[in-house]
Amino acid sequence: MKILKNILASFVISFAWISAGAQPRLIALEYDIYFKEGKYSLTENCLVNPQLFASLKDSIPQTFRKGYFVYTLKHHGVMGVESPCGDYSENDTIARKRAESMADWLKAHTILTKPHIQYRGNDWLLLLSHIGEEYEDLPHKNEVKEIIYNNLQTLEESPEISAKLLVQLKELRGGESYKYIEENVFPRMRYCKVYAYYYSQPKEKNVFPIKPVFSAFHLELPMKVEKMR
């Protein structure tokens, strides 16, 4: 009987450790809400917004359980983004107002009452990332990437460099590449990202009822298991 108890105890310990290792300590929920060109007021019928607004209202809890872990909301916020075309200063203003508009909506419709506000109005790195991962039919894609990358060597938050990039892209191959970006890529950069980060804390991460199992077999809870709780 003692051997059986020890086998069962070992199984419970192993299961607890495997469960603890299998689940991530961080879970991030992210949603991209899109805006029309030059606009910062919320439009529920823009691109995939209808589904996202409905999802946002229902899927951001304060805590939730996943497997044998309890996750608690620790950080949340919004990031307003505008495509890097047009006036540099105006892009920053639009991006900021998108973030503020989204933050107001979250306060009214979700539990996210104090979202951290950030914005990026002229993010060429984001454009480079977009065309690097997608848009295989972008004309002269490698040349576009090279133009952006070469200017990134000295890129700061600079209206002059941003304007230079726009001119070079518009002049490349008669503007064929820029026209494609304007029609297909820039609309995907007119958005506000909503994010909510959840962590499983040390006292929360192991919710498997180890102690009652050990007590049922008249066994003491091992020290290494006790530390997990």
Side-chain angles (χ1 to χ4, degrees), residues 25-87:
R25 295 299 307 279
L26 165 68
I27 289 181
L29 301 181
E30 297 183 347
Y31 306 81
D32 292 342
I33 303 298
Y34 290 91
F35 293 77
K36 293 184 177 180
E37 183 176 1
K39 305 298 182 182
Y40 49 83
S41 57
L42 292 173
T43 306
E44 297 203 14
N45 63 351
C46 184
L47 296 178
V48 294
N49 283 1
Q51 300 92 321
L52 290 174
F53 276 110
S55 182
L56 272 170
K57 290 179 181 179
D58 301 325
S59 55
I60 303 187
Q62 187 65 41
T63 63
F64 66 89
R65 179 168 294 188
K66 182 177 175 63
Y68 293 102
F69 293 76
V70 174
Y71 291 87
T72 302
L73 178 65
K74 293 298 179 183
H75 305 292
H76 67 277
V78 294
M79 169 69 80
V81 181
E82 169 62 326
S83 57
C85 60
D87 181 77

Side-chain angles (χ1 to χ4, degrees), residues 36-149:
K36 293 184 177 180
E37 183 176 1
K39 305 298 182 182
Y40 49 83
S41 57
L42 292 173
T43 306
E44 297 203 14
N45 63 351
C46 184
L47 296 178
V48 294
N49 283 1
Q51 300 92 321
L52 290 174
F53 276 110
S55 182
L56 272 170
K57 290 179 181 179
D58 301 325
S59 55
I60 303 187
Q62 187 65 41
T63 63
F64 66 89
R65 179 168 294 188
K66 182 177 175 63
Y68 293 102
F69 293 76
V70 174
Y71 291 87
T72 302
L73 178 65
K74 293 298 179 183
H75 305 292
H76 67 277
V78 294
M79 169 69 80
V81 181
E82 169 62 326
S83 57
C85 60
D87 181 77
Y88 185 92
S89 178
E90 186 177 346
N91 288 345
D92 267 355
T93 299
I94 291 172
R96 175 177 57 80
K97 288 187 175 181
R98 283 175 180 169
E100 292 171 348
S101 180
M102 194 68 236
D104 288 341
W105 187 92
L106 291 172
K107 292 174 186 178
H109 298 283
T110 74
I111 66 164
L112 305 183
T113 56
K114 297 180 179 179
H116 179 58
I117 294 178
Q118 305 174 70
Y119 59 92
R120 296 196 303 239
N122 300 272
D123 196 339
W124 289 98
L125 278 172
L126 180 60
L127 175 60
L128 184 63
S129 173
H130 272 310
I131 64 177
E133 298 173 359
E134 305 176 63
Y135 306 105
E136 292 304 320
D137 53 346
L138 167 62
H140 320 294
K141 180 174 178 176
N142 288 335
E143 293 179 62
V144 172
K145 291 167 62 177
E146 185 177 356
I147 287 174
I148 299 174
Y149 180 78

Side-chain angles (χ1 to χ4, degrees), residues 143-170:
E143 293 179 62
V144 172
K145 291 167 62 177
E146 185 177 356
I147 287 174
I148 299 174
Y149 180 78
N150 287 341
N151 281 278
L152 288 179
Q153 303 302 315
T154 57
L155 182 62
E156 297 176 355
E157 285 296 318
S158 164
E160 292 76 22
I161 293 177
S162 189
K164 179 183 175 182
L165 272 164
L166 280 173
V167 170
Q168 290 182 358
L169 289 177
K170 288 178 180 179

Side-chain angles (χ1 to χ4, degrees), residues 201-220:
Q201 299 300 305
K203 291 184 178 180
E204 300 170 334
K205 71 176 183 178
N206 179 17
V207 298
F208 182 75
I210 296 176
K211 194 167 185 178
V213 172
F214 272 76
S215 298
F217 287 95
H218 307 289
L219 299 170
E220 293 184 4

Side-chain angles (χ1 to χ4, degrees), residues 161-203:
I161 293 177
S162 189
K164 179 183 175 182
L165 272 164
L166 280 173
V167 170
Q168 290 182 358
L169 289 177
K170 288 178 180 179
E171 292 179 347
L172 175 66
R173 306 282 185 167
E176 183 183 5
S177 301
Y178 184 81
K179 183 178 180 181
Y180 178 96
I181 292 172
E182 193 173 36
E183 293 177 353
N184 298 278
V185 186
F186 283 162
R188 290 286 176 175
M189 296 181 68
R190 298 169 184 140
Y191 70 94
C192 184
K193 181 178 291 294
V194 177
Y195 61 87
Y197 297 153
Y198 292 81
Y199 292 88
S200 64
Q201 299 300 305
K203 291 184 178 180

